[in-house]
Amino acid sequence: QLQASGGGFVQTGGSLTLSCAASGRTLSDYSVGWFRQAPGKEREFVGVISRSGDSITRANFVKGRFTISRDNAKNTVFMQMSSLNPEDTGVYYCAADRVYRTSAAAYQYWGQGTQVTVSS
């Protein structure tokens, strides 16, 4: 089971750190992706980190603003978000799969999302 947390309400330019914690599963066996879904829009890829943490791929719209990391000893993946703007508003989800991928449809396990709201 995956659980995303850390969302909240921030003003433009603010920061948040999201966490994705796993229970009943060894997260180091999986690549972990982050996705988000804004109201009325499709779920979109934000970033993915490999099992070891050596490889990270991020969507162009978050490069330089979002950092993804993981602590396998704590069975947790983090996404530090800075310079947030209203277009970043949405529900953020983490997902795990044994294969490193950017397509949401391919992920095997999903956590419940956490809401991020950025005010202008």
Side-chain angles (χ1 to χ4, degrees):
Q1 183 177 0
L2 298 176
Q3 179 64 53
S5 62
F9 183 93
V10 295
Q11 294 184 331
T12 295
S15 300
L16 285 172
T17 296
L18 305 185
S19 299
C20 177
S23 59
R25 198 173 302 279
T26 302
L27 204 55
S28 59
D29 290 340
Y30 301 86
S31 293
V32 175
W34 287 96
F35 297 83
R36 70 185 187 186
Q37 188 165 17
K41 295 187 177 180
E42 293 186 353
R43 191 170 299 187
E44 63 179 350
F45 168 75
V46 177
V48 57
I49 186 168
S50 64
R51 286 178 286 181
S52 66
D54 289 345
S55 294
I56 297 171
T57 300
R58 291 169 292 175
N60 286 334
F61 58 79
V62 301
K63 286 182 179 178
R65 301 191 299 127
F66 292 11
T67 301
I68 302 172
S69 61
R70 65 190 304 157
D71 185 338
N72 285 337
K74 295 183 178 179
N75 227 24
T76 304
V77 170
F78 304 96
M79 183 163 70
Q80 296 172 281
M81 308 187 296
S82 61
S83 300
L84 288 164
N85 59 67
E87 289 71 37
D88 295 315
T89 294
V91 179
Y92 283 70
Y93 300 88
C94 61
D97 196 85
R98 293 189 182 272
V99 179
Y100 187 84
R101 39 175 113 242
T102 61
S103 172
Y107 275 78
Q108 187 173 11
Y109 304 106
W110 287 84
Q112 291 184 329
T114 184
Q115 175 71 44
V116 172
T117 303
V118 185
S119 68
S120 58

